[in-house]
Amino acid sequence: MFTQSESEILSSSWAISEQHAQAWLLMVAQILQGKHNPPSKDLVSLKEAQKEMSAFIVDEHGERIDRRENPRTPDGSIGVILISGSMIKYGNYYNWGADELVYFAQQFDRDPAIVGQIWLQESGGGSIHAIAPYLEFLKNKKKPVVSLADTCASACYYVAAGTDKLFARNNISAMFGSIGIMATIMDFTEYLKNLGVKEHLIYATQSSYKHKSHKEAQEGNYKEFRKEHLDPVAKQFQGFVRSSRPNLKTDVEGILEGKMFYAEEAQDHGLIDGILDFEEAVEQVKFLAGARSFMFQ
């Protein structure tokens, strides 16, 4: 029986930069081969401890609040969510999922003492299934969310583009873009054949198009699969970025076709709003929260 993570790996298209996809392949192979060790109590405890790293609160000066010493959230506080690594929809014992991180974001948005959020993003992207939960939250949120990112590619950029403001955390390593969609098709035919397993796929007469593009892709003909599964999502991705980033210079070569840009170029091209450190991002959240409060008085 596959876990939700394994099912997502096998069935999802991916919005992920090539270098991050290559780096993640080893862990994917281990997961699918059952070599990724099952969770022990120590690993589960470790993830619970890491919750303090993935979702925490800072005061109006950007100083982290120790909830054990101060269980009451001070007025004017800011919630911080860390979105890092390969993005997946459902969390597991070794990776935070969109379901978990969005839950933390919802709790921050409902807390009357918290004026807004900073999303610290450092991800090359991930499953396209991981994007919708973030965008749904951003559509319905009541308070500002500012993205402060280092590497922000593919699915990560899709999410970041939907926040109120998007900034690079430095002008050295921070990169943005990889606006594109890819898919990996696992073909186990030879593996099953070597095990002596012969597969027969039988379709109803009325189901001539069922899995047609997938079967053709396994045979090396990617045209229909690309047209049916990848192009529609890529066009939607491009359209969302265009509408979310009105100052985007769409005539820049590759900007909507998967190219990555370092922070200064990204700012020049309209991919981001500027380059800030964490303390400056705190001030940006406070400014947006104050402006919003003034608008609704």
Side-chain angles (χ1 to χ4, degrees):
M1 179 181 292
F2 286 124
T3 65
Q4 289 176 316
S5 298
E6 290 164 338
S7 295
E8 193 168 356
I9 289 168
L10 290 170
S11 64
S12 178
S13 296
W14 291 75
I16 189 169
S17 66
E18 183 176 356
Q19 59 268 42
H20 288 87
Q22 292 294 327
W24 208 49
L25 279 177
L26 176 60
M27 188 172 78
V28 167
Q30 291 175 336
I31 293 169
L32 295 179
Q33 292 172 16
K35 294 180 180 179
H36 213 281
N37 294 327
S40 66
K41 289 183 179 180
D42 289 340
L43 282 173
V44 173
S45 299
L46 177 62
K47 184 177 179 183
E48 184 62 27
Q50 288 177 336
K51 179 179 176 181
E52 295 297 319
M53 299 171 57
S54 298
F56 56 92
I57 298 172
V58 298
D59 63 21
E60 60 180 331
H61 306 295
E63 296 294 326
R64 186 163 174 162
I65 297 169
D66 190 332
R67 301 304 296 275
R68 292 166 296 186
E69 295 180 3
N70 189 2
R72 181 187 175 278
T73 304
D75 290 338
S77 295
I78 295 169
V80 182
I81 303 285
L82 175 62
I83 302 172
S84 65
S86 296
M87 296 167 62
I88 56 177
K89 185 174 183 179
Y90 299 109
N92 49 53
Y93 65 93
Y94 51 82
N95 208 48
W96 289 100
D99 59 335
E100 298 168 310
L101 296 178
V102 168
Y103 172 77
F104 299 147
Q106 290 170 335
Q107 297 303 107
F108 289 157
D109 198 54
R110 293 168 184 158
D111 190 330
I114 292 177
V115 299
Q117 300 180 42
I118 296 173
W119 287 3
L120 299 176
Q121 293 174 288
E122 188 167 351
S123 171
S127 166
I128 62 170
H129 294 312
I131 298 170
Y134 292 105
L135 297 189
E136 183 178 354
F137 167 78
L138 292 170
K139 180 181 177 181
N140 297 305
K141 67 181 176 60
K142 300 295 188 288
K143 300 169 186 175
V145 174
V146 167
S147 288
L148 186 61
D150 196 330
T151 298
C152 186
S154 292
C156 185
Y157 187 81
Y158 205 144
V159 170
T163 60
D164 294 290
K165 292 288 183 179
L166 169 55
F167 298 100
R169 197 170 186 178
N170 64 72
N171 64 352
I172 301 171
S173 61
M175 295 188 76
F176 300 83
S178 192
I179 299 169
I181 303 296
M182 62 170 283
T184 299
I185 294 178
M186 303 289 185
D187 187 347
F188 297 101
T189 304
E190 288 300 316
Y191 176 72
L192 294 174
K193 184 178 178 181
N194 291 333
L195 292 177
V197 178
K198 190 171 184 179
E199 184 180 34
H200 297 270
L201 297 175
I202 305 170
Y203 296 93
T205 307
Q206 298 83 356
S207 304
S208 57
Y209 279 87
K210 190 172 182 65
H211 298 158
K212 183 175 184 290
S213 63
H214 188 275
K215 288 188 296 181
E216 289 182 355
Q218 285 184 313
E219 295 168 0
N221 180 5
Y222 308 125
K223 181 179 178 181
E224 287 303 315
F225 186 91
R226 186 182 291 117
K227 179 180 177 181
E228 183 177 331
H229 297 285
L230 303 185
D231 291 354
V233 183
K235 289 177 182 177
Q236 190 174 37
F237 191 174
Q238 291 177 335
F240 182 79
V241 171
R242 287 175 187 271
S243 62
S244 301
R245 306 293 310 174
N247 295 322
L248 185 71
K249 296 180 180 178
T250 56
D251 58 336
V252 173
E253 183 180 359
I255 199 165
L256 287 172
E257 292 80 32
K259 191 174 180 178
M260 291 284 286
F261 299 87
Y262 282 105
E264 291 184 354
E265 269 192 310
Q267 182 177 358
D268 290 341
H269 299 333
L271 280 167
I272 63 174
D273 297 301
I275 304 169
L276 301 182
D277 59 26
F278 184 78
E279 289 72 21
E280 291 170 324
V282 167
E283 294 302 314
Q284 185 68 214
V285 172
K286 289 159 61 177
F287 172 78
L288 293 174
R292 182 179 180 85
S293 177
F294 177 77
M295 288 174 59
F296 287 96
Q297 282 182 353

